[in-house]
Structures are given as structure tokens and as C-alpha cells.
Amino acid sequence: MNKLFVLVVEDDKSVRNLIVTTLRTHGYRYAEAPTGEAAIVQASSHNPDVILLDLGLPDMEGAEVIRRVRGWSNMPIIVISARSEDADKIAALDAGADDYLTKPFSVDELMARLRATQRRLAYTVSSAPADSSFVNGALRVDYAANTATLGGEELHLTPIEYKLLCLLCQNVGKVLTHTYITQKIWGKSMESDIASLRVYMATLRRKLEGAGDAQVIQTHIGVGYRMVKL
Ligand code: CA
């Protein structure tokens, strides 16, 4: 598989150099942008496979960059944030970012995220949008029949658990925030909905644990959930 073309958006020159040196070492192609404006221009002219986007940019909020890119493209966006920018990170995910890295991050972590993005891209390209079923490891969801099976055994899910599962499947590989999920499931996002979400997610996960695989649903504390592409 061809290595990805990565657009690196970061105003801090030393961090940017570290990232591009790592990418070069691993054979990735890349372009660099030090500002949000430059990022939007480069995203449209180079059409990268993935954007690595620092949230602390001098000229605009990271979420604004995402909203503008999302106006015409679904390219994967991985945001990079400092721990003090947790609220910005969640805003970025709500604006349509796919994943995040928290500074300071290791080179191994960065490479792992890019590989995960590559797997997700390969998966998205190979599965036709009209697919009426979804398969991930031992899990199979048949959208037409409204059923889910694990290793061939039917899962007995409540309607809300099933809706949650479908939402995670349709966004496999992507971190979904509490707000995003509760909006999709209940059409609103109050504190109480987020508390209910935790309960539903816990029971859904218990039902899925039979797989014996790595945990298929990851919890991102204070952020949300992700279904991992197995
Ligand atoms: Ca910065």
C-alpha cells in the first residue's frame, strides 16, 4: 500500500521538524503549514490523505480550520493538543476531527495513529457505501435485518444499545464525543443524557466482550468512545 501524504499543520517549528523528520524516516510524503490559513490553502491544493492539525495556531481556532475543510472534504484529521486544551480538543472532534494526540506524544504513538488512519481509509475505500452489513472481527451488524451477531451468535440488544452500536460501526476508527453521540441518539445533550450514555455503553460493552478480542470499544475518558477497526 502506498504511504500516506500527510499535511502537517503546526506553528512551533521544533515540533513541526520533529514530525516531518519522523514522517520522512518512515517513507511518508508530507507538506507543511505554519498557520490555519496556510493549512486550508494546502489542504485544497494538495488534497492530502490525512491532516495532522495542531490546535494552538496563531491565526485561527483549530475547530475553524476543521469546519472549513469539512465544507468540501472528509479527509481524516488528527488533532494535536496540549493537555490544557482539552475543551478545544472536544470542540475539534465535534467539528469533525477523526482522532487526537495529546502533547507530548511519542513518535511511536504518532506512527500508530497514522497506521490506524491508513487501515480505516483502506476499509472505507473497499466497502461500498450501500453495504447493508458491517463486519469487524467477530462482530457482524446486518442493517437491513436490524440484527447484530458475535461469532455467529445473535446479540440480544435493546433498541438504544443497537442504535449506539450502529453509530459506532458507521464511524469505525473515529473518536465520537459524548455530545455527538447523545445528540444522535436522543437529539439533545444534557448532563443526564451523558450519564445515561455511560450506563448504556457499559451494558453494550459487556454484551460485546464475548469476542475475546482486544476491546472493540475504547473509552476516551472525558471525551467519548471509539470502535476500533480490528
Ligand atoms: Ca502551536
Side-chain angles (χ1 to χ4, degrees), residues 10-12 54 56-57 103:
E10 167 67 80
D11 59 320
D12 184 330
D54 173 41
L57 293 171
K103 285 181 186 173

Side-chain angles (χ1 to χ4, degrees), residues 77-98:
I77 300 175
I78 302 174
V79 298
I80 302 174
S81 71
R83 184 134 343 254
S84 60
E85 297 168 332
D86 270 357
D88 297 345
K89 174 172 81 191
I90 292 170
L93 290 165
D94 278 334
D98 296 78

Side-chain angles (χ1 to χ4, degrees), residues 207-221:
K207 292 179 183 180
L208 287 173
E209 260 169 14
D213 278 317
Q215 279 205 322
V216 70
I217 300 175
Q218 284 178 345
T219 300
H220 290 249
I221 294 167

Side-chain angles (χ1 to χ4, degrees), residues 123 127-128 130-155 157-159 161-172 204 208 216-217 227:
Y123 180 82
S127 60
D131 267 4
S132 61
S133 66
F134 168 89
V135 177
N136 189 12
L139 174 69
R140 180 186 180 90
V141 178
D142 185 334
Y143 297 128
N146 276 334
T147 56
T149 56
L150 191 66
E153 296 272 316
E154 181 160 0
L155 287 167
L157 303 177
T158 65
E161 288 164 359
Y162 180 73
K163 263 173 98 173
L164 270 174
L165 180 65
C166 290
L167 188 62
L168 289 161
C169 293
Q170 283 150 4
N171 292 280
V172 65
L204 173 61
L208 287 173
V216 70
I217 300 175
M227 176 174 286

